[in-house]
Amino acid sequence: GSGNLLLPSRECSSDACTGHKRFDAAVSATAMQVGFADQPTTPVGEDGTRDVVTITFGTGEMSGVYVRDNVCLGDGNVCCKANFVAATEESDEPFSLVPFDGILGLSLPQMAEGPAFSMVDRLVESGVLKDSLFGVFFGNEGEQSEITFGEMRKDRMASELYWAPVTEQGYWQVEMRDVLLDKEPLGLCSGKDHCKVAV
């Protein structure tokens, strides 16, 4: 999982980037090049010294630089100031093969480059959300999947909502006491630690 927003930048010239929409800091009046993740509101110094981060995925990797700008989601009515990684290099696999332009990581802030890089936390702290939550709906065949920020759509829920505490900071990891098949417990998660699953 990732807690970062990752966008291909105009500086990335590989096929993996040029086949997608790319972020161009030069056309943003509010973009700021950030030197270091642990100094998320400090611009790159006059000497140009900055970190370059490489993030590895199961089937590829991307390298990029830190940027801070106004980020808006959806129709542009949910906006906040946020830090993200602007990719300067992306591996062909998987990025040249995927239909999406970037990655919006929704994990807890421990999985981001730093607290200022967690989009979920930035949205909550900026006060633009109705409630401090997001909801994900995975559509079946013929249904449109969606994500909502600041609310959940009860008309999309198949049952009552059950809350479970996160057991491992970083991942959305919760404790599972058992698995049921036809309402019969299988006894797979017995013992004091039960099973740990990431949502």
Side-chain angles (χ1 to χ4, degrees):
S2 173
N4 300 302
L5 172 60
L6 311 170
L7 300 174
S9 74
R10 184 63 62 185
E11 286 74 36
C12 183
S13 58
S14 69
D15 290 343
C17 289
T18 58
H20 297 283
K21 294 176 185 166
R22 296 177 290 164
F23 174 75
D24 188 353
V27 298
S28 172
T30 54
M32 179 180 76
Q33 300 293 324
V34 174
F36 305 98
D38 61 350
Q39 299 171 9
T41 59
T42 304
V44 172
E46 290 181 23
D47 64 357
T49 302
R50 72 184 315 169
D51 278 343
V52 174
V53 62
T54 298
I55 299 173
T56 303
F57 300 92
T59 57
E61 67 180 27
M62 57 84 63
S63 295
V65 295
Y66 302 123
V67 178
R68 182 175 180 82
D69 203 350
N70 294 324
V71 177
C72 296
L73 302 176
D75 295 331
N77 55 349
V78 177
C79 303
C80 67
K81 182 73 80 174
N83 290 57
F84 56 92
V85 177
T88 54
E89 296 178 42
E90 291 181 348
S91 59
D92 281 341
E93 297 219 2
F95 298 106
S96 64
L97 307 173
V98 296
F100 50 83
D101 299 312
I103 297 172
L104 175 58
L106 298 174
S107 71
L108 293 167
Q110 293 83 353
M111 298 293 290
E113 287 298 305
F117 289 81
S118 168
M119 276 300 302
V120 174
D121 278 14
R122 297 290 61 74
L123 291 166
V124 169
E125 289 177 10
S126 68
V128 298
L129 302 179
K130 197 181 312 179
D131 290 308
S132 299
L133 55 80
F134 65 89
V136 178
F137 173 73
F138 295 107
N140 292 314
E141 190 174 328
E143 291 181 302
Q144 182 71 38
S145 297
E146 68 181 19
I147 184 166
T148 56
F149 291 92
E151 62 185 337
M152 56 191 155
R153 292 189 47 194
K154 294 187 188 258
D155 62 312
R156 295 285 201 189
M157 296 168 50
S159 68
E160 180 182 341
L161 183 65
Y162 296 95
W163 296 93
V166 171
T167 59
E168 180 71 32
Q169 295 301 310
Y171 296 101
W172 291 106
Q173 180 178 305
V174 297
E175 180 181 282
M176 186 170 69
R177 295 185 180 259
D178 207 347
V179 176
L180 291 99
L181 183 62
D182 288 331
K183 299 183 181 180
E184 292 295 320
L186 299 179
L188 298 175
C189 299
S190 58
K192 67 179 181 91
D193 291 330
H194 300 287
C195 293
K196 309 284 190 249
V197 296
V199 180

